[in-house]
Amino acid sequence: MIGTKTGRVMSIRQCKIEFANGEVYEGEFKNGKKYGMGKYTYVNGNVYEGEWKADKKHGKGTCTHSNGDVYEGQWKNDKSHGKGTYKWADGSVYEGKWKEGMWHGKGTLRFTNGQVYDGEWKDGEDDGEHRMALAQ
């Protein structure tokens, strides 16, 4: 049980919900919404495991895609936001800042062929000074 400033008592409950479309949520619920730690398995095979707030991915979490890609990091209002790492199934990796689901701020992109792009991003695109290291 959690007390609030108004003196009301709110409870966080553990539950498992299987939706009609085949998706499954296992985790904490508060006031009828996903809240706290939980795991959501989508019908397409993607799985999100981490923190929730008011039915949205919010806080720290990991999304594993059915194709093998993985995002691990911070979330805000259902989008990658803050510091995070995206690993593609082929081994390429982006590590850095995100804003509303896009690369934004300082980040490093490493390709499997050895190329490395290190620099600034804005709204998912190259922005400003950067360093590119070519494969040897």
Side-chain angles (χ1 to χ4, degrees), residues 86-99:
Y86 193 100
K87 297 178 184 176
W88 285 267
D90 74 357
S92 298
V93 176
Y94 170 79
E95 185 173 4
K97 297 285 187 156
W98 295 75
K99 181 180 176 186

Side-chain angles (χ1 to χ4, degrees), residues 14-123:
Q14 194 73 20
C15 67
K16 179 177 181 179
I17 299 173
E18 296 179 13
F19 298 93
N21 66 358
E23 296 181 341
V24 178
Y25 174 74
E26 296 178 75
E28 298 173 324
F29 242 73
K30 182 171 109 175
N31 296 332
K33 296 185 179 189
K34 295 181 284 291
Y35 190 96
M37 295 301 293
K39 177 180 177 182
Y40 196 100
T41 304
Y42 296 86
V43 72
N44 66 4
N46 294 351
V47 177
Y48 171 78
E49 193 161 3
E51 296 178 276
W52 295 85
K53 182 178 178 184
D55 270 346
K56 296 183 187 252
K57 295 181 276 289
H58 195 91
K60 190 172 183 184
T62 301
C63 186
T64 304
H65 298 268
S66 59
N67 67 358
D69 294 355
V70 177
Y71 171 78
E72 182 175 358
Q74 297 172 317
W75 296 81
K76 183 178 178 183
N77 292 320
D78 251 0
K79 296 181 180 177
S80 43
H81 190 93
K83 188 173 182 189
T85 302
Y86 193 100
K87 297 178 184 176
W88 285 267
D90 74 357
S92 298
V93 176
Y94 170 79
E95 185 173 4
K97 297 285 187 156
W98 295 75
K99 181 180 176 186
E100 296 182 358
M102 293 187 278
W103 305 345
H104 194 93
K106 178 88 171 109
T108 302
L109 179 58
R110 298 181 195 317
F111 296 95
T112 55
N113 67 2
Q115 288 183 327
V116 177
Y117 175 93
D118 185 46
E120 292 289 324
W121 302 86
K122 183 176 180 181
D123 298 327

